[in-house]
Amino acid sequence: MTLDEFFCIGITVTLGSHKFEPEAIKAFARKYDPQIFHLDEEAAKKSVFGGLCASGWHTAATWMKLNLETGVEAEGVRWAVAGPAPEFGPSPGFKNLKWLKPVYAGETVTFTRTALAHRPIMSRPGWRLLTLRSEAFDSTGDKVIEFESAVLVKMG
């Protein structure tokens, strides 16, 4: 088994779907993004969005939740090499975050990830950096969010 096979480089994995209910949108907004178009359905109708929509941070947080729930085993790949399996650690960050289309109340969004590449981290022997393309799509197939993310992986 190669590391490319273990990390499923080039394979898009569906993490799951989530329906953004109005009350959950408002609850998230009250705590983290209290803009009127996330908080009040009537005021949202008069906003640039024309209706209640989820915070972009809400969609990003939902991607993270589903990503962690899915884990690497979702691809059906198990570590098949002598020695301990790689351990997934924290993320050093993300880049190119784009909220491409509003996620309106009642919309169901499907989240995906695609492992793109991995490389050793020269300053941290025994660790690799795995890069991902992270995306989500609404029920019409339109992309609503995209970003590039990374995760640190401790090797054996």
Side-chain angles (χ1 to χ4, degrees), residues 104-144:
Y104 290 100
E107 180 63 71
T108 297
V109 174
T110 300
F111 296 83
T112 66
R113 72 166 179 244
T114 306
L116 301 176
H118 58 91
R119 65 170 177 78
I121 302 172
M122 302 319 266
S123 63
R124 296 190 139 248
W127 288 81
R128 296 188 81 78
L129 182 72
L130 174 64
T131 56
L132 307 168
R133 180 177 56 242
S134 308
E135 300 172 308
F137 303 86
D138 67 15
S139 59
T140 69
D142 289 343
K143 192 184 302 183
V144 298

Side-chain angles (χ1 to χ4, degrees), residues 67-155:
N67 179 57
L68 291 174
E69 286 176 354
T70 301
V72 72
E73 290 79 23
E75 291 94 298
V77 177
R78 301 249 187 272
W79 185 244
V81 177
E87 279 182 53
F88 290 83
S91 172
F94 64 92
K95 62 183 180 179
N96 298 323
L97 171 63
K98 297 176 185 170
W99 291 303
L100 302 165
K101 184 179 176 186
V103 174
Y104 290 100
E107 180 63 71
T108 297
V109 174
T110 300
F111 296 83
T112 66
R113 72 166 179 244
T114 306
L116 301 176
H118 58 91
R119 65 170 177 78
I121 302 172
M122 302 319 266
S123 63
R124 296 190 139 248
W127 288 81
R128 296 188 81 78
L129 182 72
L130 174 64
T131 56
L132 307 168
R133 180 177 56 242
S134 308
E135 300 172 308
F137 303 86
D138 67 15
S139 59
T140 69
D142 289 343
K143 192 184 302 183
V144 298
I145 187 174
E146 68 181 15
F147 57 96
E148 297 168 42
S149 59
V151 63
L152 300 176
V153 183
K154 185 176 183 181
M155 301 305 296

Side-chain angles (χ1 to χ4, degrees), residues 1-14:
M1 165 180 281
T2 67
L3 280 176
D4 282 2
E5 290 168 330
F6 178 72
F7 291 135
C8 298
I9 299 300
I11 297 171
T12 298
V13 176
T14 300

Side-chain angles (χ1 to χ4, degrees), residues 33-50:
D33 192 358
Q35 297 183 77
I36 199 70
F37 38 81
H38 303 318
L39 291 169
D40 182 288
E41 291 174 69
E42 288 307 311
K45 288 178 186 174
K46 299 173 190 161
S47 76
V48 66
F49 295 114

